[in-house]
Amino acid sequence: MNILITGAGGQLGRDLLRVLGQTYACTPLTRQELDICDIRAVQKTVNELKPDVVINAAGYSKVDQAEENSAEAYRINALGVSQLAIAAEEAGAKLVHVSTDYVFDGTKGEPYGETDRTNPLNIYGKSKLLGEQFVRAVCPRHFIVRTSWLYSNCGNNFVTKILSQAENQQDIKVVDDQFGSPTYTLDLAECIGRLITTERYGTYHVSNSGCCSRYDFAKEILQNAGYDLLPTRTKSADFVLPAPRPQHSALSHHVLEINGFPHMRNWKTALEDFLSTDWVHPDLSRGGIPHE
Ligand SMILES: NC(=O)c1ccc[n+]([C@@H]2O[C@H](COP(=O)([O-])OP(=O)(O)OC[C@H]3O[C@@H](n4cnc5c(N)ncnc54)[C@H](OP(=O)(O)O)[C@@H]3O)[C@@H](O)[C@H]2O)c1
């Protein structure tokens, strides 16, 4: 099986290659190598490579910046995705497109299922939802994979941010009124690896199992990394960011279950595994607030 991975320089892109590269012929293309918004380059690349599967790990994932930079968010998360979907469909390839829990407004009060009503609160979520809609309209052989709170060893994410603040002995203020499902990119990549061997197309929620607040997540990170520190509780209302976040956006995994895919491991187990490997180095160079 030939697999084209777009956005290969990102957190998920790298772990997709790490997992799928062991079994399949993968062509990982970074933004510099393939801009998904460049329609000619997309068509030329897909025509030449003739992939069996296209996995789109590219995205405009800066949630707060998207509020000011909405044209760019829509250009990448919707328009670029539509072009990739057209090229994949023309080539007869399966398409995996990665979307987000931020398509929901977080008011349900319990984990969201795949068929729950979407109602994004911010530009990022709206642009991702439009990307999903293009994929559904253009490419019947699709897997839309909604995930949440991603972390890996190579990005600016919540885990690396908390670790770098602990390292710098900063006061770590974390909201305790936002709930979701942290997800290790390696587990997501493994699940995508299982999906693509099937023809069980559709929309899937893929996150580590269970749910926690940002505060509990930070506490668990510090404890597992061996810091004798507790974060300071704060509220979303006291920590206002440009993009509003859903309050409770944990995902349930009905579609994985009914299609017979294995249970996703619990977020605490995945985090423990991640932090016990020796490749965890906070990437301090990129700074800023974690993406989601
Ligand atoms: N991070 C999360 O917590 C989270 C949660 C839910 C869903 N998701 C979704 O999961 C996917 C992967 O997220 P991630 O955390 O791996 O994001 P990431 O680390 O920001 O990676 C995204 C990659 O896409 C690249 N990219 C941006 N515009 C592109 C374009 N026009 N053409 C080709 N590549 C482009 C970026 O390159 P540059 O860095 O050079 O711009 C980056 O390497 C995204 O679709 C995101 O929306 C993420």
Side-chain angles (χ1 to χ4, degrees):
M1 184 150 64
N2 285 324
I3 303 177
L4 167 62
I5 302 171
T6 59
Q11 302 195 88
L12 176 61
R14 288 174 193 230
D15 273 351
L16 280 167
L17 181 63
R18 192 144 68 100
V19 171
L20 302 178
Q22 293 172 16
T23 315
Y24 305 113
C26 292
T27 306
L29 298 179
T30 63
R31 182 182 195 154
Q32 288 68 36
E33 292 161 328
L34 179 66
D35 177 352
I36 63 165
C37 298
D38 180 342
I39 188 161
R40 290 216 181 106
V42 167
Q43 283 180 337
K44 184 168 178 286
T45 304
V46 173
N47 286 342
E48 280 174 12
L49 287 173
K50 300 192 186 357
D52 302 297
V53 182
V54 175
I55 306 180
N56 181 34
Y60 184 97
S61 57
K62 301 176 202 102
V63 176
D64 288 310
Q65 274 136 283
E67 295 298 304
E68 288 236 314
N69 215 352
S70 61
E72 185 68 351
Y74 280 107
R75 199 173 72 85
I76 296 171
N77 290 341
L79 210 60
V81 172
S82 74
Q83 292 169 181
L84 207 54
I86 292 167
E89 178 60 11
E90 281 177 357
K94 297 176 181 178
L95 175 65
V96 178
H97 175 59
V98 183
S99 190
T100 173
D101 56 327
Y102 282 15
V103 297
F104 298 112
D105 63 18
T107 58
K108 188 181 175 191
E110 58 182 277
Y112 281 95
E114 288 82 352
T115 56
D116 277 328
R117 191 178 67 94
T118 53
N119 182 31
L121 298 178
N122 54 43
I123 299 288
Y124 168 75
K126 287 178 187 170
S127 67
K128 294 293 291 184
L129 183 58
L130 196 54
E132 288 188 7
Q133 289 161 348
F134 278 131
V135 168
R136 282 191 200 100
V138 170
C139 197
R141 279 164 297 181
H142 67 252
F143 300 95
I144 292 171
V145 174
R146 292 189 187 129
T147 189
S148 58
W149 295 19
L150 287 184
Y151 61 88
S152 79
N153 66 319
C154 65
N156 178 35
N157 55 63
F158 189 81
V159 178
T160 54
K161 181 84 176 171
I162 295 293
L163 290 176
S164 72
Q165 289 185 351
E167 193 70 22
N168 296 329
Q169 298 175 325
Q170 286 171 252
D171 179 19
I172 304 170
K173 293 200 180 96
V174 188
V175 296
D176 66 1
D177 57 358
Q178 269 175 38
F179 299 84
S181 312
T183 306
Y184 183 10
T185 46
L186 195 74
D187 290 7
L188 174 57
E190 281 173 357
C191 182
I192 290 174
R194 292 189 282 271
L195 293 176
I196 60 174
T197 60
T198 75
E199 299 193 335
R200 291 173 223 157
Y201 302 114
T203 301
Y204 287 81
H205 287 179
V206 182
S207 56
N208 281 122
S209 296
C211 165
C212 62
S213 69
R214 288 276 184 195
Y215 176 84
D216 290 332
F217 188 20
K219 204 168 114 188
E220 198 71 19
I221 294 163
L222 293 171
Q223 223 167 50
N224 271 287
Y227 288 99
D228 190 18
L229 272 176
L230 275 180
T232 307
R233 285 178 187 275
T234 180
K235 300 284 174 203
S236 303
D238 301 323
F239 197 77
V240 179
L241 294 168
R245 266 73 170 166
Q247 203 175 353
H248 199 308
S249 61
L251 301 172
S252 62
H253 305 148
H254 298 311
V255 180
L256 280 181
E257 279 160 28
I258 57 175
N259 281 298
F261 290 104
H263 186 69
M264 295 294 291
R265 64 179 167 166
N266 184 268
W267 69 270
K268 283 191 187 179
T269 319
L271 180 67
E272 206 179 315
D273 188 14
F274 172 74
L275 290 171
S276 67
T277 53
D278 57 8
W279 59 56
V280 181
H281 300 293
D283 180 355
L284 305 179
S285 60
R286 290 178 62 178
I289 292 161
H291 296 164
E292 291 197 21

